[in-house]
Amino acid sequence: MERFVPNPVFVLADGPFVDPALVEPHGAAAGVELRRALLETPAAVAAATAGADGVLVVTNPLPRELIEAFAPSVRIIGRAGVGLDAIDLDAARERGIAVFHTPDYCIDEVATHTLALALGLNRKLVQGDAVVRADWTDWRALAPVAPLSEQTVGIVGVGRIGQAVAARFAPFVRELLAFDPWSDVELPGVRRVGEIGELLAGSDVVTLHLPLTADTDRLIDAEALARMKPTALLVNVSRGGLIDEQALAQALREGRLAGAGLDVLASEPPPADHPLLNAPNVLLSPHFAWYSTGSEQRVWSSTLDGMLAVLGERAPAAGRVAVAAGAPA
């Protein structure tokens, strides 16, 4: 039997990805009262969540100490986005609080952004722009550029986004490799390898599509980078913590890697002295691979609708329940 939740109240965590002019109409359409608040300390969280049914976050961290400060009325956390590494799922589970997220709202956008970064690096578009502005005739300074049609792309992680990336790269490259010990999916035209070292050594472009967990933290470290070809490119649109950034910067400076395209960094925004801001042959974007006008609308409507469905004990039309509601452990 479906449960009716009258006049639900969600606390919306303020942050750089929250545009009230966009979010509030979605809340009104869903019949939700949104309370904007900074959720940075237990005291602030306790005050903001008093009487609230849910908490809605984008990139805002929710460690144990903040979740334990939730008012007793809070029954769900909604993550308007894909990854859950910033939310202490065990703490939510112990409080009997459901956790809902939207891992499928921006598959096309992220996959396309991955291809764009790889193509931009391969064709040296940033360096080419600089040549035009300094000396148009000095195009030879951009050499060499390897034909993408003769190259191998290695995809680390073949979930929804990794699969979409494979489909986009297929017309451009000679071979596609995949490594993912957490999935047994087989993709047509993609050769699975059993060890990440084999993928790293055999790929001209390596692209990362994994969540950040204890198993994947700094997966690409100095040892992994040493396995890659000095002519190879590394692309990361997943989580900055997948890469040892200091080791990557050093490899780029020493010419042991040809380039890196990064939409994510371990610390966002990065400090002025971040090692990759001044490393050579780095193409950066501000964690917006997820973005299009369509995906920005989808993430808010899907998250709010999904949170209401979970509270009403219905199956969400989109998104995923990562932690089910239940009695506190």
Side-chain angles (χ1 to χ4, degrees), residues 112-320:
T112 299
H113 200 85
T114 302
L115 182 63
L117 286 172
L119 292 176
L121 288 167
N122 173 258
R123 296 304 308 173
K124 299 187 176 178
L125 296 185
V126 174
Q127 298 95 318
D129 180 87
V131 165
V132 169
R133 298 173 192 281
D135 180 0
W136 179 285
T137 64
D138 194 27
W139 65 268
R140 182 65 69 179
L142 302 173
V145 173
L148 203 58
S149 59
E150 298 176 7
Q151 296 195 352
T152 296
V153 170
I155 302 170
V156 182
V158 287
R160 298 174 180 86
I161 292 173
Q163 293 173 40
V165 167
R168 281 161 172 73
F169 269 111
F172 292 92
V173 302
R174 178 186 62 191
E175 185 180 25
L176 287 166
L177 304 180
F179 170 76
D180 191 336
W182 300 278
S183 168
D184 58 2
V185 66
E186 295 290 340
L187 303 176
V190 180
R191 180 163 66 88
R192 292 288 297 256
V193 297
E195 299 291 337
I196 191 171
E198 181 181 352
L199 181 145
L200 295 174
S203 298
D204 301 290
V205 179
V206 173
T207 177
L208 308 179
H209 304 283
L210 293 172
L212 181 61
T213 67
D215 292 328
T216 63
D217 184 50
R218 298 193 182 191
L219 180 70
I220 305 301
D221 56 10
E223 182 180 350
L225 291 165
R227 293 174 178 264
M228 296 177 66
K229 302 175 184 180
T231 55
L233 305 172
L234 177 64
V235 176
N236 185 16
V237 295
S238 296
R239 285 292 181 268
L242 297 175
I243 297 175
D244 182 332
E245 295 173 337
Q246 187 65 53
L248 174 58
Q250 187 172 348
L252 291 164
R253 290 194 183 97
E254 294 176 359
R256 293 184 285 108
L257 195 70
L262 309 171
D263 183 58
V264 289
L265 296 169
S267 178
E268 297 176 353
D273 61 350
H274 193 287
L276 288 168
L277 293 181
N278 296 309
N281 303 324
V282 178
L283 181 56
L284 299 171
S285 57
H287 199 152
F288 92 129
W290 63 272
Y291 175 76
S292 74
T293 52
S295 66
E296 190 173 34
Q297 296 286 338
R298 282 194 300 274
V299 72
W300 291 113
S301 60
S302 296
T303 304
L304 288 165
D305 289 347
M307 292 173 70
L308 290 174
V310 173
L311 288 179
E313 299 179 357
R314 307 187 306 274
R320 175 175 172 268

Side-chain angles (χ1 to χ4, degrees), residues 20-34:
L22 177 70
V23 183
E24 288 168 0
H26 283 286
V32 174
E33 178 188 339
L34 291 175

